[in-house]
Amino acid sequence: MVHAHQPFRLLPGGIASSVLLHVPHSARHIPEQVRTGIELDDKALELELDHITDSHTAELAAEAALAAPVTPWRFVNGLSRLVIDPERFPDEREEMLAVGMGAVYTQTTHREPLRSPGVDPEPLIDRYFHPYAEAMTAAVDERLAATGRAVIIDVHSYPTAPLPYELHGSGPRPPICLGTDAFHTPPELLAQAEKAFAGFGGTGINSPFAGTYVPLKRYGTDPRVSALMIEIRRDVYMSEPGGPADPAGLTALASALATLVTALSGASDRGTRAR
């Protein structure tokens, strides 16, 4: 469904599906009223979008949804993360504030000014962050009501070489990085993902990016919600920094993601919930 006047979409899956593919960083669109607060010129902004956007991940999720026997639900952000980043904490809990990349970014991937350092983030958080969070929370609640559980698969990509903004960029950069949460990622879910994505040259855990997205209402308290982040190194499927996708690479990844969705759809409730 399209939420009225909101730049995100919940795309329905099977009524019995507990799986929700979350695609927060695939878009490049910036509304004009937000663009005026960004200090980069048009050429520099396009380059920054090349670096910061998880290009083609919406297409990847769509192709996987078509391939899966039980169609997962998809929640897709229609705005660039340069508007707001829906996966950041909107307060001092966010470690990326240290590099000017909290819920509202003030620095670029190369640690250069994006917005005035004194900008008030609250108008953007009120206009874009909170409605997104509320809609994602509702989507998870609907899966819980329908199936008794919800499995969030966070679909991301990351550059082959580390960018200056990365706080943990010195560690391994495997073809597939799996981000986990101590409460919401049970061993069975991680093992299913490792098996599904085994064919791309190796998987790693929580390096260079760690954690996964769970709505704050359920975070750390509801064991019926399980979650995993999939970070795909961009050379596996596209030309960097912001070039076209390799069709064969994208299709292979979509097949792997569909395999994971299928395993989760067929798993027992016990097998996919956090302990």
Side-chain angles (χ1 to χ4, degrees):
M1 71 190 67
V2 177
H3 294 259
H5 310 301
Q6 293 296 346
F8 45 77
R9 293 182 297 163
L10 175 63
L11 299 164
I15 191 169
S17 175
S18 60
V19 181
L20 183 61
L21 301 180
H22 182 219
V23 189
H25 294 159
S26 65
R28 296 172 68 99
H29 178 63
I30 300 173
E32 186 55 39
Q33 66 270 26
V34 179
R35 172 69 181 96
T36 59
I38 291 177
E39 298 183 350
L40 304 179
D41 64 29
D42 289 347
K43 182 177 180 181
L45 178 57
E46 286 302 308
L47 182 58
E48 179 63 13
L49 287 167
D50 286 345
H51 287 299
I52 199 66
T53 305
D54 292 349
S55 299
H56 315 298
T57 50
E59 293 93 327
L60 167 62
E63 193 170 331
L66 284 173
V70 179
T71 304
W73 295 66
R74 285 178 287 145
F75 194 99
V76 183
N77 189 8
L79 294 182
S80 168
R81 61 197 290 193
L82 297 184
V83 179
I84 56 97
D85 191 331
E87 295 212 315
R88 304 286 198 240
F89 287 112
D91 52 36
E92 67 282 350
R93 288 173 292 177
E94 180 51 59
E95 70 169 356
M96 295 302 291
L97 284 169
V99 290
M101 299 180 86
V104 175
Y105 297 175
T106 58
Q107 294 186 34
T108 71
T109 51
H110 288 75
R111 305 294 303 276
E112 296 167 349
L114 180 74
R115 291 182 174 93
S116 167
V119 67
D120 180 5
E122 290 307 316
L124 288 173
I125 288 175
D126 288 342
R127 171 64 183 87
Y128 297 107
F129 185 95
H130 291 314
Y132 187 105
E134 289 165 5
M136 183 65 182
T137 299
V140 170
D141 289 352
E142 288 167 7
R143 293 303 86 218
L144 290 172
T147 71
R149 61 192 178 102
V151 187
I152 303 167
I153 303 298
D154 222 7
V155 184
H156 292 262
S157 69
Y158 75 99
T160 304
L163 290 169
Y165 85 94
E166 295 182 25
L167 292 178
H168 310 288
S170 61
R173 303 179 80 82
I176 306 293
C177 164
L178 302 174
T180 67
D181 178 84
F183 186 88
H184 290 283
T185 310
E188 294 91 340
L189 174 54
L190 179 60
Q192 287 164 334
E194 288 175 326
K195 181 178 180 181
F197 286 91
F200 297 93
T203 60
I205 300 172
N206 290 332
S207 177
F209 296 98
T212 187
Y213 180 85
V214 175
L216 289 176
K217 175 184 174 182
R218 303 289 179 181
Y219 183 66
T221 61
D222 194 336
R224 298 174 300 164
V225 179
S226 53
L228 180 77
M229 178 171 68
I230 299 173
E231 286 269 8
I232 302 160
R233 203 178 64 205
R234 291 175 186 158
D235 64 339
V236 174
Y237 76 98
M238 63 173 284
S239 298
E240 296 180 86
D246 167 55
L250 198 68
T251 296
L253 287 164
S255 177
L257 183 55
T259 296
L260 175 60
V261 168
T262 301
L264 296 172
S265 299
S268 69
D269 187 45
R270 176 183 177 277
T272 56
R273 66 167 52 174
R275 307 271 197 269

